[in-house]
Amino acid sequence: MPPRALFIAGSGTEIGKTYVTAALARRLRGQGRAVLALKPLASGVPPLDDPAFAETDTALLLAAQGLPVTPATVEACSPWRFAAPLAPDQAAACEGRTLGLDDLVAWCEAQRAAHPEPTLLIEGVGGLMSPVTADATGLDWLKRLGLPALLVSGSYLGAISHALTAIETLRAHGVLLAGVAVSESDGAPTPPEVVAEAIARRVTAPVAVLHRGGAFPDALAGVI
C-alpha cells in the first residue's frame, strides 16, 4: 500500500502554495500524523547563510514540520535550488546546470519509498503549466507522479478564470482534483470568499479559503 501523498499545484505563480502546504502540514501534525513536506524545485533562493533564507519557501516548510534549517534538512526538502527568480529550467541554465524530468520524478518516488509512514506533501513550482525543465511542465511532473492534486488559487482579479482553466486542464488530463484552496491575495478587489464561491459553483471538489497566516480550512480536511 503506497503512502498517502498529495501534490500541491498552483493556478499561477506567487499565489500562496507554500502557505497552503505549510498550513496543511501543521494541521496534520496537530492530529498526531507524521508529515513529510517537500518542495523539490525552488528558484530565487539566496544562500543558506543569507538572513533572507528564513523567508524562503523551503524554510517555511521546514518550520511547519518542526525542523531546523540546516544544510541537511534544506537539501532533503529542496534538492534543486537556484538563485535566479526564474522558471526552474531558465534558472538552472543561468548556473550552467540542467534539470531532467526523469531525475525529478525518480527523486520524488524515492522519497515515497524511503518514508513509508509519513503523509507526503509535494509542492510544485509556479503555475500548473509553468516549465519545470526544458521540455516538461508542472502538469507533466504531476502526471508522472500519478498523485491527486490540491489546487491553490489566489483571490486577485482574474483568479476565478485562472483557477477554472487549471481545473479543466487537470480534468482533461485525468488528474484527480482533491480540492481547491483559495489563498487570500494582498490588495484583491473582492473577498476571497467571493472567489471561492464562484469556483465552488462549477466544480464538485471541495473549495475553501485560506487567509494569510490562517489555519488550514476544515472544509478541506478530507483532501488527504
Side-chain angles (χ1 to χ4, degrees), residues 2 11 49 53-54 56 73 81 93 99-100 102 112 114 130 134 136 144 149 157 164 178 182 189 194 199 204:
S11 61
D49 59 359
F53 190 89
T56 63
T73 59
R81 304 181 307 281
L99 172 61
D102 288 345
R112 296 184 72 184
S130 294
R144 285 280 299 273
L157 183 64
L164 294 177
V182 177
V194 173
I199 295 171
T204 57

Side-chain angles (χ1 to χ4, degrees), residues 9 16 22 32 62 72 83 100 103 110 132 139 143 166-167 175 181 188 200-201 208 213-214 217 219 223:
L62 290 175
D103 293 333
V132 293
L139 177 63
K143 288 172 63 178
I167 290 166
V175 177
R201 289 198 300 268
V223 295

